[in-house]
Amino acid sequence: MQKLKFAVIGTGFWANYQIPAWLMLDGVELVALYNRTRSKAEEFARQFAVPHVYDNINELLDRHADELDFVDIITDVDTHALFTDKAAARGLDVICQKPMAPNLETARAMVETCQRAGVRFYIHENFRWQTPLRALKARLDSGIIGRPFKARVSFCSAFPVFDNQPFLAELDQFILTDIGSHTLDVCRFLFGEATSLYSQTTRVNPAIKGEDVAHVLIQMRSGLTCYAEMSYASILEQEAFPQTLVAVEGETGSIVLTHGFELRITTRDAAGKTETRSENAVPMAYPWADPAYAVVHSSIVDCNRNLLADLQGRGQAETTGVDNLETVRLVHAAYDSAARNEVIHL
Ligand code: 89V
């Protein structure tokens, strides 16, 4: 199959992982890099043998739009819409990092722009591709705990996330956009769509602008109630970053995804005897991954593989722009709920 040619827009922190993750896959060729600071793009070009570098996006598109199949936007959220518009106007398919946009209106407009331009639009939402979350989902789908009715999805840590991504400290809306985009997407992936939610947020760290703690209680269409908790202010006995920990209760058992990618599955037999067994769902360890982020970085490869299959007409992408709009809707419903101290009906 012919390789799809693409350009990366934005060579900041996340490109260190997104680019090598792409290069793990057959079927793609990275042709050009854009970054507003040219020297940063040049460093990446040297490291990954990319032939063309630009600090002017129009120039990149003028010179390469004809040969490119898609662009991968890895910039900060504020420029996602701008670059999506420019690529769509040239007829290029678009992959964009999460969160799709700073607000729901912009996210909707991005989806519509791509639909009008007749290009495919995907969000690089990788958390649902994490090995332990996939294993948990497979266990739930197997029916081993019966109908799930209650869940807790946690992303709580004291990891100094601002050291690697200082712009996160400047966001007026922080944890629900940065981590909530992932956590609430994981809730949708595991349990389906929501009908209402109630949220509360707090800022503990005085050195940042946005909130660093959020609680979201979500009612799912299936009848399950899900508590999603996120925090970067949690000094815990066992640091969990960047693991998402999950506990699900069903009518015939429970599954806990705990530290170290362990699934603990408890079931009860007809005689009423309970049994707990342990399974491990350890992610791939790639040499380019930062060990502090390993489970996240390995999921980038699986997310890219899924998007590439769709781009090549071999499969169905999970995290299309249309699908991800539902996650963006939850994120902003959670902000509205916290601001108004009200349940939001979706
Ligand atoms: O994946 C992310 O969005 C990153 C991190 C894992 C630190 O949250 O910002």
Side-chain angles (χ1 to χ4, degrees):
M1 187 169 279
Q2 220 190 344
K3 288 193 175 197
L4 296 187
K5 294 188 176 178
F6 75 109
V8 160
I9 300 180
T11 55
F13 173 68
W14 218 244
N16 284 305
Y17 313 105
Q18 187 75 8
I19 293 176
W22 274 122
L23 301 181
M24 303 294 305
L25 302 178
D26 288 333
V28 285
E29 184 181 339
L30 179 51
V31 169
L33 300 174
Y34 159 85
N35 199 65
R36 64 186 167 192
T37 309
R38 190 184 173 90
S39 56
K40 276 199 190 173
E42 283 169 344
E43 264 173 50
F44 276 87
R46 272 192 296 277
Q47 194 183 345
F48 297 107
V50 186
H52 303 284
V53 168
Y54 296 88
D55 56 12
N56 180 322
I57 189 65
N58 295 327
E59 210 180 308
L60 184 156
L61 294 171
D62 286 344
R63 299 234 177 117
H64 299 281
D66 288 348
E67 63 169 328
L68 288 176
D69 294 290
F70 69 95
V71 296
D72 189 10
I73 301 172
I74 323 180
T75 56
D76 295 351
V77 63
D78 286 337
T79 52
H80 287 177
L82 173 76
F83 293 127
T84 298
D85 288 358
K86 284 182 185 290
R90 307 290 180 126
L92 300 176
D93 293 329
V94 175
I95 299 175
C96 179
Q97 282 293 310
K98 56 57 72 172
M100 189 186 322
N103 54 59
L104 185 55
E105 295 68 40
T106 309
R108 277 208 187 99
M110 288 165 73
V111 169
E112 283 164 15
T113 297
C114 291
Q115 283 170 340
R116 267 199 307 276
V119 301
R120 287 174 281 203
F121 180 43
Y122 312 95
I123 298 303
H124 182 94
E125 173 46 72
N126 52 43
F127 267 40
R128 62 164 67 202
W129 287 100
Q130 289 176 14
T131 305
L133 291 168
R134 288 273 146 181
L136 169 61
K137 172 78 168 138
R139 281 322 207 166
L140 290 174
D141 289 350
S142 76
I144 194 166
I145 63 163
R147 187 186 71 83
F149 59 89
K150 173 177 178 291
R152 186 178 69 243
V153 179
S154 304
F155 187 97
C156 296
S157 98
F159 184 79
V161 69
F162 309 107
D163 292 358
N164 286 329
Q165 295 169 276
F167 75 95
L168 294 175
E170 300 302 319
L171 296 175
D172 290 328
Q173 296 182 320
F174 165 51
I175 205 163
L176 279 168
T177 54
D178 189 58
I179 287 304
S181 298
H182 289 312
T183 308
L184 299 179
D185 191 70
V186 166
C187 295
R188 292 183 54 233
F189 167 63
L190 293 176
F191 309 121
E193 300 303 342
T195 55
S196 66
L197 63 74
Y198 176 70
S199 168
Q200 292 281 292
T201 62
T202 321
R203 181 179 59 211
V204 177
N205 181 345
I208 68 168
K209 277 197 187 158
E211 82 292 353
D212 52 2
V213 179
H215 314 264
V216 189
L217 189 66
I218 315 168
Q219 190 55 47
M220 296 296 181
R221 205 176 281 160
S222 66
L224 176 139
T225 308
C226 177
Y227 170 52
E229 54 170 351
M230 291 142 253
S231 164
Y232 269 120
S234 297
I235 302 160
L236 303 170
E237 184 182 4
Q238 213 176 339
E239 174 57 59
F241 183 89
Q243 298 169 72
T244 300
L245 305 182
V246 183
V248 192
E249 294 176 37
E251 285 172 346
T252 60
S254 62
I255 310 183
V256 174
L257 169 57
T258 186
H259 300 82
F261 320 118
E262 183 190 8
L263 289 172
R264 297 189 64 78
I265 304 170
T266 301
T267 49
R268 191 169 58 188
D269 67 18
K273 190 169 165 296
T274 59
E275 181 190 64
T276 299
R277 67 170 184 276
S278 165
E279 296 176 4
N280 281 299
V282 180
M284 286 284 291
Y286 293 107
W288 44 265
D290 179 339
Y293 293 72
V295 66
V296 175
H297 288 169
S298 83
S299 72
I300 299 174
V301 179
D302 297 307
C303 180
N304 287 352
R305 189 181 286 115
N306 175 250
L307 302 181
L308 180 61
D310 193 281
L311 282 163
Q312 292 177 323
R314 294 184 290 106
Q316 178 73 46
E318 289 191 17
T319 58
T320 60
V322 170
D323 177 87
N324 195 260
L325 258 189
E326 287 305 311
T327 297
V328 179
R329 213 153 77 91
L330 294 188
V331 167
H332 292 283
Y335 279 119
D336 287 351
S337 171
R340 289 153 46 184
N341 195 21
E342 278 175 14
V343 174
I344 305 289
H345 296 277
L346 296 152

PDB file of all heavy atoms in Angstrom, residues 13-14 97-99 126-127 130 155 159 161 165 167-168 174 177-179 182 232 241-242 293 296-297, ligand 1:
ATOM      1  N   PHE A  13       6.865  19.933  23.104  1.00  0.00           N
ATOM      2  CA  PHE A  13       7.098  18.773  23.973  1.00  0.00           C
ATOM      3  C   PHE A  13       6.464  17.491  23.423  1.00  0.00           C
ATOM      4  O   PHE A  13       7.096  16.442  23.365  1.00  0.00           O
ATOM      5  CB  PHE A  13       6.535  19.098  25.366  1.00  0.00           C
ATOM      6  CG  PHE A  13       6.549  17.952  26.332  1.00  0.00           C
ATOM      7  CD1 PHE A  13       7.743  17.446  26.817  1.00  0.00           C
ATOM      8  CD2 PHE A  13       5.359  17.378  26.775  1.00  0.00           C
ATOM      9  CE1 PHE A  13       7.757  16.391  27.721  1.00  0.00           C
ATOM     10  CE2 PHE A  13       5.358  16.323  27.679  1.00  0.00           C
ATOM     11  CZ  PHE A  13       6.560  15.829  28.152  1.00  0.00           C
ATOM     12  N   TRP A  14       5.212  17.586  23.009  1.00  0.00           N
ATOM     13  CA  TRP A  14       4.470  16.372  22.642  1.00  0.00           C
ATOM     14  C   TRP A  14       4.974  15.758  21.335  1.00  0.00           C
ATOM     15  O   TRP A  14       4.841  14.556  21.109  1.00  0.00           O
ATOM     16  CB  TRP A  14       2.969  16.681  22.602  1.00  0.00           C
ATOM     17  CG  TRP A  14       2.187  15.531  23.136  1.00  0.00           C
ATOM     18  CD1 TRP A  14       1.293  14.770  22.445  1.00  0.00           C
ATOM     19  CD2 TRP A  14       2.244  14.975  24.461  1.00  0.00           C
ATOM     20  NE1 TRP A  14       0.801  13.770  23.256  1.00  0.00           N
ATOM     21  CE2 TRP A  14       1.366  13.871  24.489  1.00  0.00           C
ATOM     22  CE3 TRP A  14       2.961  15.285  25.618  1.00  0.00           C
ATOM     23  CZ2 TRP A  14       1.183  13.095  25.632  1.00  0.00           C
ATOM     24  CZ3 TRP A  14       2.776  14.500  26.753  1.00  0.00           C
ATOM     25  CH2 TRP A  14       1.899  13.434  26.749  1.00  0.00           C
ATOM     26  N   GLN A  97      -4.491  17.286  18.034  1.00  0.00           N
ATOM     27  CA  GLN A  97      -4.349  16.860  19.437  1.00  0.00           C
ATOM     28  C   GLN A  97      -5.579  17.234  20.245  1.00  0.00           C
ATOM     29  O   GLN A  97      -6.275  18.208  19.930  1.00  0.00           O
ATOM     30  CB  GLN A  97      -3.162  17.583  20.073  1.00  0.00           C
ATOM     31  CG  GLN A  97      -1.817  17.031  19.711  1.00  0.00           C
ATOM     32  CD  GLN A  97      -1.571  15.646  20.267  1.00  0.00           C
ATOM     33  OE1 GLN A  97      -1.777  15.395  21.455  1.00  0.00           O
ATOM     34  NE2 GLN A  97      -1.150  14.731  19.423  1.00  0.00           N
ATOM     35  N   LYS A  98      -5.775  16.540  21.337  1.00  0.00           N
ATOM     36  CA  LYS A  98      -6.776  16.978  22.307  1.00  0.00           C
ATOM     37  C   LYS A  98      -6.187  18.102  23.147  1.00  0.00           C
ATOM     38  O   LYS A  98      -4.944  18.182  23.210  1.00  0.00           O
ATOM     39  CB  LYS A  98      -7.252  15.838  23.211  1.00  0.00           C
ATOM     40  CG  LYS A  98      -6.207  15.081  24.002  1.00  0.00           C
ATOM     41  CD  LYS A  98      -5.288  15.776  24.937  1.00  0.00           C
ATOM     42  CE  LYS A  98      -5.830  16.314  26.225  1.00  0.00           C
ATOM     43  NZ  LYS A  98      -4.716  16.813  27.121  1.00  0.00           N
ATOM     44  N   PRO A  99      -6.927  18.960  23.811  1.00  0.00           N
ATOM     45  CA  PRO A  99      -8.358  19.121  23.585  1.00  0.00           C
ATOM     46  C   PRO A  99      -8.586  19.792  22.241  1.00  0.00           C
ATOM     47  O   PRO A  99      -7.781  20.622  21.814  1.00  0.00           O
ATOM     48  CB  PRO A  99      -8.783  20.024  24.743  1.00  0.00           C
ATOM     49  CG  PRO A  99      -7.552  20.749  25.161  1.00  0.00           C
ATOM     50  CD  PRO A  99      -6.404  19.862  24.845  1.00  0.00           C
ATOM     51  N   ASN A 126      -5.680   9.760  22.990  1.00  0.00           N
ATOM     52  CA  ASN A 126      -4.967   8.485  23.140  1.00  0.00           C
ATOM     53  C   ASN A 126      -5.295   7.690  24.399  1.00  0.00           C
ATOM     54  O   ASN A 126      -5.050   6.500  24.458  1.00  0.00           O
ATOM     55  CB  ASN A 126      -3.446   8.724  23.046  1.00  0.00           C
ATOM     56  CG  ASN A 126      -2.982   9.814  23.995  1.00  0.00           C
ATOM     57  OD1 ASN A 126      -3.401   9.873  25.146  1.00  0.00           O
ATOM     58  ND2 ASN A 126      -2.119  10.698  23.514  1.00  0.00           N
ATOM     59  N   PHE A 127      -5.850   8.327  25.451  1.00  0.00           N
ATOM     60  CA  PHE A 127      -5.982   7.589  26.720  1.00  0.00           C
ATOM     61  C   PHE A 127      -6.797   6.305  26.552  1.00  0.00           C
ATOM     62  O   PHE A 127      -6.469   5.283  27.132  1.00  0.00           O
ATOM     63  CB  PHE A 127      -6.599   8.477  27.815  1.00  0.00           C
ATOM     64  CG  PHE A 127      -5.576   9.181  28.673  1.00  0.00           C
ATOM     65  CD1 PHE A 127      -4.418   9.725  28.125  1.00  0.00           C
ATOM     66  CD2 PHE A 127      -5.772   9.327  30.045  1.00  0.00           C
ATOM     67  CE1 PHE A 127      -3.473  10.393  28.911  1.00  0.00           C
ATOM     68  CE2 PHE A 127      -4.836   9.987  30.844  1.00  0.00           C
ATOM     69  CZ  PHE A 127      -3.693  10.516  30.278  1.00  0.00           C
ATOM     70  N   GLN A 130      -4.924   3.100  25.918  1.00  0.00           N
ATOM     71  CA  GLN A 130      -3.964   2.528  26.870  1.00  0.00           C
ATOM     72  C   GLN A 130      -4.266   1.043  27.087  1.00  0.00           C
ATOM     73  O   GLN A 130      -5.430   0.654  27.268  1.00  0.00           O
ATOM     74  CB  GLN A 130      -4.026   3.268  28.198  1.00  0.00           C
ATOM     75  CG  GLN A 130      -3.454   4.673  28.092  1.00  0.00           C
ATOM     76  CD  GLN A 130      -3.593   5.454  29.378  1.00  0.00           C
ATOM     77  OE1 GLN A 130      -3.875   4.893  30.435  1.00  0.00           O
ATOM     78  NE2 GLN A 130      -3.397   6.749  29.285  1.00  0.00           N
ATOM     79  N   PHE A 155      -7.924  10.041  38.082  1.00  0.00           N
ATOM     80  CA  PHE A 155      -6.605  10.465  37.614  1.00  0.00           C
ATOM     81  C   PHE A 155      -6.126  11.470  38.656  1.00  0.00           C
ATOM     82  O   PHE A 155      -6.381  12.669  38.554  1.00  0.00           O
ATOM     83  CB  PHE A 155      -6.681  11.099  36.227  1.00  0.00           C
ATOM     84  CG  PHE A 155      -5.324  11.388  35.638  1.00  0.00           C
ATOM     85  CD1 PHE A 155      -4.727  10.514  34.745  1.00  0.00           C
ATOM     86  CD2 PHE A 155      -4.621  12.525  36.003  1.00  0.00           C
ATOM     87  CE1 PHE A 155      -3.462  10.757  34.216  1.00  0.00           C
ATOM     88  CE2 PHE A 155      -3.353  12.783  35.479  1.00  0.00           C
ATOM     89  CZ  PHE A 155      -2.782  11.905  34.589  1.00  0.00           C
ATOM     90  N   PHE A 159       2.141  14.745  40.471  1.00  0.00           N
ATOM     91  CA  PHE A 159       3.216  14.836  39.474  1.00  0.00           C
ATOM     92  C   PHE A 159       3.418  16.297  39.061  1.00  0.00           C
ATOM     93  O   PHE A 159       2.444  17.010  38.792  1.00  0.00           O
ATOM     94  CB  PHE A 159       2.824  13.995  38.253  1.00  0.00           C
ATOM     95  CG  PHE A 159       3.889  13.932  37.194  1.00  0.00           C
ATOM     96  CD1 PHE A 159       4.979  13.088  37.329  1.00  0.00           C
ATOM     97  CD2 PHE A 159       3.791  14.712  36.052  1.00  0.00           C
ATOM     98  CE1 PHE A 159       5.955  13.021  36.345  1.00  0.00           C
ATOM     99  CE2 PHE A 159       4.761  14.652  35.067  1.00  0.00           C
ATOM    100  CZ  PHE A 159       5.847  13.803  35.210  1.00  0.00           C
ATOM    101  N   VAL A 161       3.516  18.315  36.669  1.00  0.00           N
ATOM    102  CA  VAL A 161       3.214  18.346  35.233  1.00  0.00           C
ATOM    103  C   VAL A 161       3.647  19.653  34.574  1.00  0.00           C
ATOM    104  O   VAL A 161       3.963  19.702  33.384  1.00  0.00           O
ATOM    105  CB  VAL A 161       1.702  18.074  35.018  1.00  0.00           C
ATOM    106  CG1 VAL A 161       0.855  19.207  35.519  1.00  0.00           C
ATOM    107  CG2 VAL A 161       1.392  17.747  33.576  1.00  0.00           C
ATOM    108  N   GLN A 165       5.384  20.929  30.840  1.00  0.00           N
ATOM    109  CA  GLN A 165       4.395  21.649  30.026  1.00  0.00           C
ATOM    110  C   GLN A 165       3.998  22.936  30.749  1.00  0.00           C
ATOM    111  O   GLN A 165       2.879  23.052  31.266  1.00  0.00           O
ATOM    112  CB  GLN A 165       3.177  20.748  29.792  1.00  0.00           C
ATOM    113  CG  GLN A 165       3.494  19.506  28.954  1.00  0.00           C
ATOM    114  CD  GLN A 165       2.361  18.499  28.964  1.00  0.00           C
ATOM    115  OE1 GLN A 165       2.246  17.689  29.869  1.00  0.00           O
ATOM    116  NE2 GLN A 165       1.503  18.563  27.975  1.00  0.00           N
ATOM    117  N   PHE A 167       3.021  25.787  29.883  1.00  0.00           N
ATOM    118  CA  PHE A 167       1.832  26.536  29.444  1.00  0.00           C
ATOM    119  C   PHE A 167       0.576  26.084  30.182  1.00  0.00           C
ATOM    120  O   PHE A 167      -0.390  26.842  30.294  1.00  0.00           O
ATOM    121  CB  PHE A 167       1.644  26.416  27.923  1.00  0.00           C
ATOM    122  CG  PHE A 167       1.117  25.081  27.487  1.00  0.00           C
ATOM    123  CD1 PHE A 167      -0.234  24.882  27.294  1.00  0.00           C
ATOM    124  CD2 PHE A 167       1.976  24.014  27.281  1.00  0.00           C
ATOM    125  CE1 PHE A 167      -0.739  23.640  26.916  1.00  0.00           C
ATOM    126  CE2 PHE A 167       1.490  22.763  26.903  1.00  0.00           C
ATOM    127  CZ  PHE A 167       0.137  22.576  26.721  1.00  0.00           C
ATOM    128  N   LEU A 168       0.598  24.875  30.732  1.00  0.00           N
ATOM    129  CA  LEU A 168      -0.590  24.383  31.444  1.00  0.00           C
ATOM    130  C   LEU A 168      -0.904  25.245  32.672  1.00  0.00           C
ATOM    131  O   LEU A 168      -2.056  25.400  33.059  1.00  0.00           O
ATOM    132  CB  LEU A 168      -0.404  22.920  31.867  1.00  0.00           C
ATOM    133  CG  LEU A 168      -0.320  21.889  30.736  1.00  0.00           C
ATOM    134  CD1 LEU A 168      -0.011  20.506  31.296  1.00  0.00           C
ATOM    135  CD2 LEU A 168      -1.609  21.853  29.918  1.00  0.00           C
ATOM    136  N   PHE A 174      -7.931  24.519  33.472  1.00  0.00           N
ATOM    137  CA  PHE A 174      -6.806  23.584  33.368  1.00  0.00           C
ATOM    138  C   PHE A 174      -7.211  22.116  33.402  1.00  0.00           C
ATOM    139  O   PHE A 174      -7.229  21.437  32.385  1.00  0.00           O
ATOM    140  CB  PHE A 174      -5.746  23.896  34.436  1.00  0.00           C
ATOM    141  CG  PHE A 174      -4.758  22.783  34.640  1.00  0.00           C
ATOM    142  CD1 PHE A 174      -4.101  22.222  33.542  1.00  0.00           C
ATOM    143  CD2 PHE A 174      -4.492  22.265  35.903  1.00  0.00           C
ATOM    144  CE1 PHE A 174      -3.201  21.170  33.697  1.00  0.00           C
ATOM    145  CE2 PHE A 174      -3.595  21.217  36.061  1.00  0.00           C
ATOM    146  CZ  PHE A 174      -2.957  20.668  34.966  1.00  0.00           C
ATOM    147  N   THR A 177      -9.863  20.573  31.048  1.00  0.00           N
ATOM    148  CA  THR A 177      -9.514  20.557  29.623  1.00  0.00           C
ATOM    149  C   THR A 177      -8.352  19.602  29.369  1.00  0.00           C
ATOM    150  O   THR A 177      -8.400  18.796  28.444  1.00  0.00           O
ATOM    151  CB  THR A 177      -9.144  21.965  29.095  1.00  0.00           C
ATOM    152  OG1 THR A 177      -8.114  22.507  29.901  1.00  0.00           O
ATOM    153  CG2 THR A 177     -10.327  22.884  29.052  1.00  0.00           C
ATOM    154  N   ASP A 178      -7.324  19.656  30.205  1.00  0.00           N
ATOM    155  CA  ASP A 178      -6.138  18.841  29.921  1.00  0.00           C
ATOM    156  C   ASP A 178      -6.361  17.364  30.253  1.00  0.00           C
ATOM    157  O   ASP A 178      -6.119  16.501  29.419  1.00  0.00           O
ATOM    158  CB  ASP A 178      -4.920  19.374  30.682  1.00  0.00           C
ATOM    159  CG  ASP A 178      -3.654  18.673  30.204  1.00  0.00           C
ATOM    160  OD1 ASP A 178      -3.376  18.753  29.000  1.00  0.00           O
ATOM    161  OD2 ASP A 178      -2.984  18.016  31.009  1.00  0.00           O
ATOM    162  N   ILE A 179      -6.818  17.098  31.459  1.00  0.00           N
ATOM    163  CA  ILE A 179      -7.016  15.705  31.868  1.00  0.00           C
ATOM    164  C   ILE A 179      -8.472  15.270  31.709  1.00  0.00           C
ATOM    165  O   ILE A 179      -8.754  14.133  31.341  1.00  0.00           O
ATOM    166  CB  ILE A 179      -6.522  15.510  33.318  1.00  0.00           C
ATOM    167  CG1 ILE A 179      -4.994  15.538  33.323  1.00  0.00           C
ATOM    168  CG2 ILE A 179      -7.027  14.220  33.951  1.00  0.00           C
ATOM    169  CD1 ILE A 179      -4.341  14.535  32.412  1.00  0.00           C
ATOM    170  N   HIS A 182      -9.310  13.656  28.561  1.00  0.00           N
ATOM    171  CA  HIS A 182      -8.971  12.226  28.532  1.00  0.00           C
ATOM    172  C   HIS A 182      -9.928  11.417  29.413  1.00  0.00           C
ATOM    173  O   HIS A 182     -10.469  10.408  28.997  1.00  0.00           O
ATOM    174  CB  HIS A 182      -7.565  12.014  29.098  1.00  0.00           C
ATOM    175  CG  HIS A 182      -6.446  12.500  28.233  1.00  0.00           C
ATOM    176  ND1 HIS A 182      -6.343  12.231  26.896  1.00  0.00           N
ATOM    177  CD2 HIS A 182      -5.336  13.220  28.552  1.00  0.00           C
ATOM    178  CE1 HIS A 182      -5.213  12.748  26.416  1.00  0.00           C
ATOM    179  NE2 HIS A 182      -4.596  13.366  27.405  1.00  0.00           N
ATOM    180  N   TYR A 232      -4.287  17.234  40.448  1.00  0.00           N
ATOM    181  CA  TYR A 232      -2.826  17.320  40.435  1.00  0.00           C
ATOM    182  C   TYR A 232      -2.338  17.807  41.797  1.00  0.00           C
ATOM    183  O   TYR A 232      -1.220  18.295  41.919  1.00  0.00           O
ATOM    184  CB  TYR A 232      -2.335  18.256  39.325  1.00  0.00           C
ATOM    185  CG  TYR A 232      -2.066  17.532  38.023  1.00  0.00           C
ATOM    186  CD1 TYR A 232      -2.757  17.870  36.873  1.00  0.00           C
ATOM    187  CD2 TYR A 232      -1.117  16.521  37.955  1.00  0.00           C
ATOM    188  CE1 TYR A 232      -2.505  17.211  35.671  1.00  0.00           C
ATOM    189  CE2 TYR A 232      -0.861  15.852  36.765  1.00  0.00           C
ATOM    190  CZ  TYR A 232      -1.555  16.201  35.630  1.00  0.00           C
ATOM    191  OH  TYR A 232      -1.299  15.544  34.456  1.00  0.00           O
ATOM    192  N   PHE A 241       0.710   8.726  38.723  1.00  0.00           N
ATOM    193  CA  PHE A 241       0.881   9.356  37.409  1.00  0.00           C
ATOM    194  C   PHE A 241       1.601   8.446  36.453  1.00  0.00           C
ATOM    195  O   PHE A 241       2.634   7.873  36.814  1.00  0.00           O
ATOM    196  CB  PHE A 241       1.658  10.682  37.539  1.00  0.00           C
ATOM    197  CG  PHE A 241       1.805  11.404  36.231  1.00  0.00           C
ATOM    198  CD1 PHE A 241       0.841  12.305  35.824  1.00  0.00           C
ATOM    199  CD2 PHE A 241       2.901  11.184  35.402  1.00  0.00           C
ATOM    200  CE1 PHE A 241       0.956  12.975  34.606  1.00  0.00           C
ATOM    201  CE2 PHE A 241       3.022  11.848  34.183  1.00  0.00           C
ATOM    202  CZ  PHE A 241       2.046  12.743  33.798  1.00  0.00           C
ATOM    203  N   PRO A 242       1.203   8.334  35.212  1.00  0.00           N
ATOM    204  CA  PRO A 242       0.014   8.915  34.595  1.00  0.00           C
ATOM    205  C   PRO A 242      -1.106   7.878  34.433  1.00  0.00           C
ATOM    206  O   PRO A 242      -1.808   7.865  33.430  1.00  0.00           O
ATOM    207  CB  PRO A 242       0.539   9.343  33.231  1.00  0.00           C
ATOM    208  CG  PRO A 242       1.517   8.232  32.878  1.00  0.00           C
ATOM    209  CD  PRO A 242       2.067   7.690  34.195  1.00  0.00           C
ATOM    210  N   TYR A 293       6.050   8.581  31.615  1.00  0.00           N
ATOM    211  CA  TYR A 293       4.765   8.686  30.907  1.00  0.00           C
ATOM    212  C   TYR A 293       4.458   7.404  30.110  1.00  0.00           C
ATOM    213  O   TYR A 293       3.642   7.434  29.200  1.00  0.00           O
ATOM    214  CB  TYR A 293       4.802   9.825  29.885  1.00  0.00           C
ATOM    215  CG  TYR A 293       4.905  11.238  30.396  1.00  0.00           C
ATOM    216  CD1 TYR A 293       6.084  11.729  30.941  1.00  0.00           C
ATOM    217  CD2 TYR A 293       3.822  12.120  30.295  1.00  0.00           C
ATOM    218  CE1 TYR A 293       6.188  13.042  31.384  1.00  0.00           C
ATOM    219  CE2 TYR A 293       3.917  13.436  30.727  1.00  0.00           C
ATOM    220  CZ  TYR A 293       5.104  13.894  31.267  1.00  0.00           C
ATOM    221  OH  TYR A 293       5.195  15.195  31.691  1.00  0.00           O
ATOM    222  N   VAL A 296       1.092   6.263  28.718  1.00  0.00           N
ATOM    223  CA  VAL A 296       0.500   7.246  27.798  1.00  0.00           C
ATOM    224  C   VAL A 296       1.223   7.181  26.458  1.00  0.00           C
ATOM    225  O   VAL A 296       0.599   7.116  25.398  1.00  0.00           O
ATOM    226  CB  VAL A 296       0.595   8.672  28.380  1.00  0.00           C
ATOM    227  CG1 VAL A 296       0.105   9.691  27.372  1.00  0.00           C
ATOM    228  CG2 VAL A 296      -0.197   8.780  29.677  1.00  0.00           C
ATOM    229  N   HIS A 297       2.539   7.161  26.498  1.00  0.00           N
ATOM    230  CA  HIS A 297       3.286   7.217  25.242  1.00  0.00           C
ATOM    231  C   HIS A 297       3.034   5.987  24.380  1.00  0.00           C
ATOM    232  O   HIS A 297       2.936   6.084  23.158  1.00  0.00           O
ATOM    233  CB  HIS A 297       4.776   7.419  25.528  1.00  0.00           C
ATOM    234  CG  HIS A 297       5.064   8.805  26.015  1.00  0.00           C
ATOM    235  ND1 HIS A 297       6.258   9.189  26.552  1.00  0.00           N
ATOM    236  CD2 HIS A 297       4.281   9.917  26.038  1.00  0.00           C
ATOM    237  CE1 HIS A 297       6.202  10.479  26.893  1.00  0.00           C
ATOM    238  NE2 HIS A 297       5.011  10.921  26.590  1.00  0.00           N
TER     239      HIS A 297
HETATM  240  O1  89V B   1      -1.599  13.505  27.780  1.00  0.00           O
HETATM  241  C1  89V B   1      -1.646  14.660  28.129  1.00  0.00           C
HETATM  242  O2  89V B   1      -2.547  15.379  27.727  1.00  0.00           O
HETATM  243  C2  89V B   1      -0.597  15.259  29.045  1.00  0.00           C
HETATM  244  C3  89V B   1      -0.504  14.581  30.375  1.00  0.00           C
HETATM  245  C4  89V B   1      -0.357  13.087  30.356  1.00  0.00           C
HETATM  246  C5  89V B   1       0.593  15.203  31.199  1.00  0.00           C
HETATM  247  O3  89V B   1      -1.661  14.886  30.974  1.00  0.00           O
HETATM  248  O4  89V B   1      -0.853  16.625  29.206  1.00  0.00           O
END
